[in-house]
């Protein structure tokens, strides 16, 4: 065939399953795979524009943030070429404007660009915003001018108003290159099947799927992309709810062993050295009801760091242990696992601990220790098993796994929880989180978990004051940070210092481009050891590259007050309890998220002493990163911070970093603002499942849900 001779692959219609390489060629395929992980036409078609610009409307240059990558629509004001002063070559300086402000773009030895970049030319300019001679510039800019001029006067309005999609882009693939690739795919793709039954489409006033996809990428008017996005957002919400509800139905369709409180539980309460708060009592009652219901519990307990969640969880383990049931507690790191074990032993008191044999199982154990621990688990002797990923090992078997407790859910995917669940017969599941999340999020992320909240914090907890130390505004404050640390130590207190990297090699490559390098644990510790004041103090370090014995040794030293300063990465993030620690210093605080900072801060003020938290940063005051820090400094109310966090995350991905990205991240859905839509989708999903429990009546919907679940599974496998 002639087609074959000419290599016209393009004549064959594309389907969602067509590999991208076949549709767009090797170069583009590689760039898209690297940047976004896409491999098929279907993946790519769901790469939705971040926003829409128009040729007539210029992007406001006011307040565009330094250090961020932007795509802006602007007009050229001036274009001048001059020789470089200090070296050979010429510099082309082009000023562009939105009508109010100016920003400069510069090119070295590329004078030929002046042919196009003439005053009056308009286009999209993309690059990272940097500082330049007191103003701003786009460094390494990339641009595309609108060469299609308004055809005639009466058509010029339409020309000026046609929305231009602006895509999430990368250095290799600018937004307009993605736009072109998309146009090429759309022109060849076969009619896309609509996964939704017609009745669902009608009930919810949705566009047909194919039309929605075309309109979201190639709208001819604003109304078109709005309608398209509304449709696609509903699709996303519905598929997610179907997947979650199906999982839940599946889980609930099996009976769970009834675990009734008895003599052990009574002993537990009698041994408790304090009175439970009313919130703790209420949550205990809820859990108690779940455990005797005969249906597997799936409950999230949320509460501030230090609000007393652990006690509540330990009580549940005791109730499960009454008739020999075992609990597995999954912790994100070895340090936390051993700390959990210690605090469980402490909470149980010596008598109960002797009966329940709390046992540690982590990758850091020697082969012999591990063997011994595994034996206790399989025999049922250990009724509480605390561990890290080692608990997920397929060879590990339990005698009677009755309860799975997951600490700090955001570190684990749904898949990992399921692996653990499989080790018992429909065990109950309890998730503990210090990151409070709104109901819609809980619903979206966990399906139908029941949520319990501990609002109050036990009495006697000390206030924490938080300050942003802005080195971009006040470079000399760096010295004051350490004077403050020294003052605290002089009063017999301890100081945490958290860095975002272990050393330069560990810092992410992005950071090395910045003017200010990231502070690493190793360098900072070395610096502090020669510091005029702190040099005489006892300084320890902890990070993920140390072996677990060493980590535990240093943590224990710090806990016992044998160290004054602990310089660490976020291994200390959750759960670490050191009553004498009064000060938390976070270096490059802008590199952490709001909830992470809030949790880090929760490490101090746990004993009798008021806490101080210093958020050290180089970021510019006008950035979103700085807003995050100011938010953390402004309140210690975790629920309020969760709300601010959602608002600030425009690209918001509530699934948290370990569950984001790839194909399981949310695309158009925003749990912070789409609560009503999610509720509506949930009702629709419930109706569909009541109609057809396995969705076999709706084959294309069934396929879409299966794919979603398979994608999640794949993500889990990738990570492990
Ligand atoms: P969380 O797990 O929510 O961060 P923990 O359960 O670890 O909090 O509790 C923090 C500290 O407070 C622990 O030392 C614990 O023994 C103590 N604690 C818990 N509940 C109470 C209470 N009702 N009264 C006094 N102290 C409590
Ligand atoms: Mg805890």
């Amino acid at each position: 065939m002639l087609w074959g001779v000419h290599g016209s692959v393009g004549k064959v219609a594309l389907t969602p399953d067509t590999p991208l390489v076949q549709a767009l060629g090797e170069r583009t395929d590689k760039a898209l795979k690297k940047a976004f992980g896409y491999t098929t036409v279907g993946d790519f078609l769901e790469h939705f524009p971040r926003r829409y610009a128009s040729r007539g409307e210029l992007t406001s240059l006011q307040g565009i943030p330094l250090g961020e990558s932007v795509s802006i629509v602007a007009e050229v004001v001036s274009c001048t070429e001059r020789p470089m002063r200090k070296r050979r070559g010429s510099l082309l300086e082009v000023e562009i404007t939105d009508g109010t402000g100016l920003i400069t773009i510069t090119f070295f030895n590329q004078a030929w660009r002046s042919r196009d970049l003439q005053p009056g030319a308009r286009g999209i300019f993309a690059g990272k915003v940097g500082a330049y001679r007191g103003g701003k510039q786009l460094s390494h800019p990339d641009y595309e001018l609108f060469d299609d001029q308004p055809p005639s006067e009466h058509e010029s309005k339409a020309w000026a108003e046609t929305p231009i999609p602006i895509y999430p882009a990368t250095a290799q693939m600018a937004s307009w290159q993605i736009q072109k690739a998309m146009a090429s795919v759309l022109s060849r793709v076969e009619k896309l099947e609509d996964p939704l039954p017609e009745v669902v489409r009608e009930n919810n006033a949705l566009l047909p799927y194919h039309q929605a996809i075309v309109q979201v990428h190639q709208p001819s008017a604003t109304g078109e992309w709005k309608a398209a996005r509304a449709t696609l957002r509903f699709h996303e919400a519905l598929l997610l709810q179907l997947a979650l509800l199906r999982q839940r139905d599946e889980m609930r369709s099996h009976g769970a062993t009834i675990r009734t409180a008895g003599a052990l539980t009574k002993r537990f309460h009698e041994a408790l050295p304090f009175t439970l708060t009313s919130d703790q009592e209420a949550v205990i009652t809820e859990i108690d009801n779940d455990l005797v219901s005969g249906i597997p519990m799936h409950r999230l307990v949320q509460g501030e760091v230090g609000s007393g969640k652990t006690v509540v969880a330990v009580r549940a383990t005791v109730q499960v242990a009454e008739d020999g049931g075992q609990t597995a507690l999954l912790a994100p790191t070895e340090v936390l696992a051993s700390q959990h074990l210690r605090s469980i032993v402490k909470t149980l008191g010596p008598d109960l601990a002797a009966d329940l044999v709390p046992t540690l199982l982590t990758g850091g154990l020697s082969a012999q220790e591990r063997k011994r621990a595994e034996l206790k688990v399989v025999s049922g002797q250990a009724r509480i098993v605390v561990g890290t990923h080692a608990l997920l090992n397929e060879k590990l078997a339990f005698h009677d796994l009755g309860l799975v407790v997951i600490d700090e859910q955001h570190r684990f995917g749904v898949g990992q929880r399921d692996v653990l669940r499989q080790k018992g017969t429909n065990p109950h599941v309890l998730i503990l989180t210090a990151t409070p999340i709104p109901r819609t999020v809980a619903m979206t992320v966990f399906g139908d978990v029941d949520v319990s909240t501990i609002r109050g914090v036990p009495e006697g907890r000390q206030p924490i004051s938080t300050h942003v130390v802005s080195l971009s505004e006040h470079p000399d404050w760096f010295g004051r940070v350490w004077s403050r640390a020294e003052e605290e130590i002089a009063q017999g207190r301890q100081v945490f210092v958290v860095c975002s990297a272990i050393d330069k090699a560990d810092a992410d490559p992005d950071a090395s481009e910045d003017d200010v390098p990231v502070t690493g644990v190793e360098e900072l510790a070395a610096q502090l050891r020669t510091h005029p004041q702190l040099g005489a103090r006892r300084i320890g370090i902890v990070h993920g590259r140390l072996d677990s014995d060493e980590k535990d040794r240093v943590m224990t030293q710090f806990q016992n007050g044998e160290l004054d300063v602990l310089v660490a990465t976020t291994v200390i993030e959750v759960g670490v309890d050191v009553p004498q620690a009064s000060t938390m210093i976070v270096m490059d605080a802008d590199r952490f998220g709001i909830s992470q900072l809030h949790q880090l801060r929760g490490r101090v003020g746990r004993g009798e002493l008021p806490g101080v938290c210093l958020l050290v940063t180089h970021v510019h005051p006008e950035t979103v990163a700085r807003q995050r820090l100011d938010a953390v400094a402004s309140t210690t109310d975790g629920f309020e911070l969760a709300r601010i966090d959602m608002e600030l995350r425009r690209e918001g991905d509530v699934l948290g970093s370990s569950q984001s990205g790839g194909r399981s991240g949310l695309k158009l859905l925003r749990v912070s603002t789409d609560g009503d839509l999610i509720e509506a989708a949930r009702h629709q999903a419930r109706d569909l499942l009541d109609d057809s429990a396995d969705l076999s009546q709706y084959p294309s919907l069934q396929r879409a849900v299966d794919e979603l679940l398979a994608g999640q599974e794949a993500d889990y496998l990738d990570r492990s």
Side-chain angles (χ1 to χ4, degrees), residues 296-328:
M297 168 171 76
H298 195 207
R299 183 171 291 279
L300 175 79
V301 176
Q302 57 175 9
E304 291 284 318
V305 172
S307 62
K309 299 180 294 295
T310 309
V311 184
V312 166
V314 172
R315 180 188 178 289
T317 70
V318 176
Q319 184 163 342
V320 167
E322 293 276 3
D323 54 359
Q326 293 169 288
T327 294

Side-chain angles (χ1 to χ4, degrees), residues 499-509 518 520-521 523 543-545 569:
C499 299
S500 62
I502 300 172
D503 52 28
K504 286 207 177 62
D506 174 51
D508 65 276
V518 168
V521 170
E523 291 108 1
H543 56 66
R545 248 191 264 144
T569 52

Side-chain angles (χ1 to χ4, degrees), residues 9 108 266 282 386 441 505 530 534 559 591 642 688 705:
V9 222
F108 179 61
K266 188 151 169 274
V386 183
V441 181
T530 58
L534 288 176
Q559 253 158 346
R591 300 199 162 256
L688 289 165
V705 173

Side-chain angles (χ1 to χ4, degrees), residues 546-561:
L546 301 178
D547 68 37
S548 59
D549 282 353
E550 174 68 4
K551 269 187 283 193
D552 275 346
R553 197 179 59 77
V554 179
M555 281 308 304
T556 310
Q557 276 185 326
F558 191 65
Q559 253 158 346
N560 295 342

Side-chain angles (χ1 to χ4, degrees), residues 47-52 69 71 165-169 229 651 668:
H47 186 67
F48 300 129
R50 186 200 300 275
R51 63 186 177 88
Y52 300 82
S69 293
S71 299
I166 306 287
Y167 287 95
R229 281 174 74 107
E651 303 306 311
L668 293 173

Side-chain angles (χ1 to χ4, degrees), residues 259-291:
R259 311 281 181 175
T260 322
L264 286 179
T265 316
K266 188 151 169 274
R267 272 168 65 197
F268 172 79
H269 280 281
E270 284 165 2
L272 264 189
F274 45 73
T275 321
L276 294 166
T277 65
S278 56
D279 279 355
Q280 284 173 320
E281 294 278 13
V283 174
I284 284 173
T285 305
E286 289 171 329
I287 293 174
D288 194 344
N289 290 338
D290 290 343
L291 294 179

